[in-house]
Amino acid sequence: MKREIITTGDGSTTIHMPEWNEQYHSKHGAIQEARHVFIEMGLKKILERDNCKEISILEIGFGTGLNAMVTWEAVEAKEIFINYTGVEAYPVAVEEVIQLNFAEEIKLENSKDIFNKLHESSWEEANKICENLTLTKQQKFFHQIEDVETYDLIYFDAFGARVQPDLWTVEIFEKMFKATKQDGVLVTYAAKGSVRRAMLEVGFKVERLQGPPGKREMLRATKV
């Protein structure tokens, strides 16, 4: 399948697949979408908790590493430790990674170094990216996840249900529910009724929230 690097509305890049008319991030702005969906509506919800010092995060679709980058950006100056797990069946190729401009657009002092470490770190083991971020990348399909009450927060960033409906089923969200700790949270850019119903069916409490630029709504699910 053809893949090409495009520039999105906020100046950050993403990978576009013309055959699907689908991209890894919003064409309205890759970085602003990641910050809104996963940080503002997800990570900050967890950080509001009393005595929050360590957070375990599962990302469904590690992809370009952008969500890990904005997570680092959000906690870089805080005394918070992030144990980050990224699951990806088809890792992004090196020649694509080097064309992405997230480090330049985020503009923190160590952005380039952190971005490189995220992609150069080995798979299937924990890698210390910096003092407050450890990354474990797992190459497997989402239906192979068998974690139980492991994560405080899940970033559900799979390709859309329009092109990959099998990633948005009751069976997949049942695995997400099991993997989440009590009071844990799952956030996704998606807002389809079928996705919301699948989340509700497995036991999540689901909220419709304001979406990122270019999208009216998104979903946040809590294990209660």
Side-chain angles (χ1 to χ4, degrees), residues 2 15 23 26 31 38 58 64 71 73-74 83 85 89 121 128-129 138 152 154 177 184 195 199-200 210 221:
K2 182 180 179 183
I15 301 171
Q23 44 278 327
S26 171
I31 289 178
F38 301 109
L58 171 65
T64 65
T71 299
E73 176 191 34
N83 187 0
T85 300
S121 60
K128 184 177 180 180
I129 305 301
Q138 300 176 351
D152 301 291
I154 295 179
F177 189 81
V195 173
M199 291 177 174
L200 288 168
Q210 179 182 339

Side-chain angles (χ1 to χ4, degrees), residues 81-121:
F81 180 76
I82 302 289
N83 187 0
Y84 198 104
T85 300
V87 174
E88 178 61 58
Y90 303 102
V92 173
V94 173
E95 55 267 27
E96 293 176 322
V97 169
I98 62 177
Q99 297 180 68
L100 299 171
N101 68 351
F102 305 144
E104 291 78 10
E105 292 295 313
I106 288 175
K107 296 184 174 69
L108 288 181
E109 183 179 352
N110 299 323
S111 293
K112 188 66 175 177
D113 181 53
I114 296 297
F115 184 69
N116 289 340
K117 284 183 177 179
L118 291 175
H119 287 284
E120 292 169 359
S121 60

Side-chain angles (χ1 to χ4, degrees), residues 30-165:
I31 289 178
Q32 68 180 5
E33 177 195 42
R35 285 172 174 158
H36 177 88
V37 174
F38 301 109
I39 306 306
E40 294 297 325
M41 301 301 181
L43 181 60
K44 289 189 176 180
K45 181 80 170 174
I46 305 299
L47 289 173
E48 290 172 357
R49 296 176 178 175
D50 293 338
N51 302 313
C52 181
K53 296 295 182 184
E54 184 171 342
I55 300 171
S56 56
I57 298 176
L58 171 65
E59 181 179 8
I60 298 300
F62 182 76
T64 65
L66 175 56
N67 296 332
M69 276 292 288
V70 296
T71 299
W72 165 75
E73 176 191 34
V75 302
E76 184 261 346
K78 301 181 188 298
E79 293 183 0
I80 299 289
F81 180 76
I82 302 289
N83 187 0
Y84 198 104
T85 300
V87 174
E88 178 61 58
Y90 303 102
V92 173
V94 173
E95 55 267 27
E96 293 176 322
V97 169
I98 62 177
Q99 297 180 68
L100 299 171
N101 68 351
F102 305 144
E104 291 78 10
E105 292 295 313
I106 288 175
K107 296 184 174 69
L108 288 181
E109 183 179 352
N110 299 323
S111 293
K112 188 66 175 177
D113 181 53
I114 296 297
F115 184 69
N116 289 340
K117 284 183 177 179
L118 291 175
H119 287 284
E120 292 169 359
S121 60
S122 56
W123 290 74
E124 314 306 337
E125 62 181 4
N127 298 268
K128 184 177 180 180
I129 305 301
C130 60
E131 285 302 316
N132 58 348
L133 175 63
T134 295
L135 170 67
T136 303
K137 296 187 293 188
Q138 300 176 351
Q139 186 173 1
K140 61 184 178 184
F141 296 106
F142 304 152
H143 69 263
Q144 295 175 309
I145 294 171
E146 299 292 347
D147 301 301
V148 177
E149 296 188 355
T150 303
Y151 303 103
D152 301 291
L153 177 60
I154 295 179
Y155 296 162
F156 201 92
D157 200 19
F159 286 128
R162 176 180 62 84
V163 296
Q164 289 198 308

Side-chain angles (χ1 to χ4, degrees), residues 178-191:
K178 289 179 180 177
T180 308
K181 295 178 183 178
Q182 191 67 28
D183 299 318
V185 170
L186 179 152
V187 281
T188 182
Y189 65 88

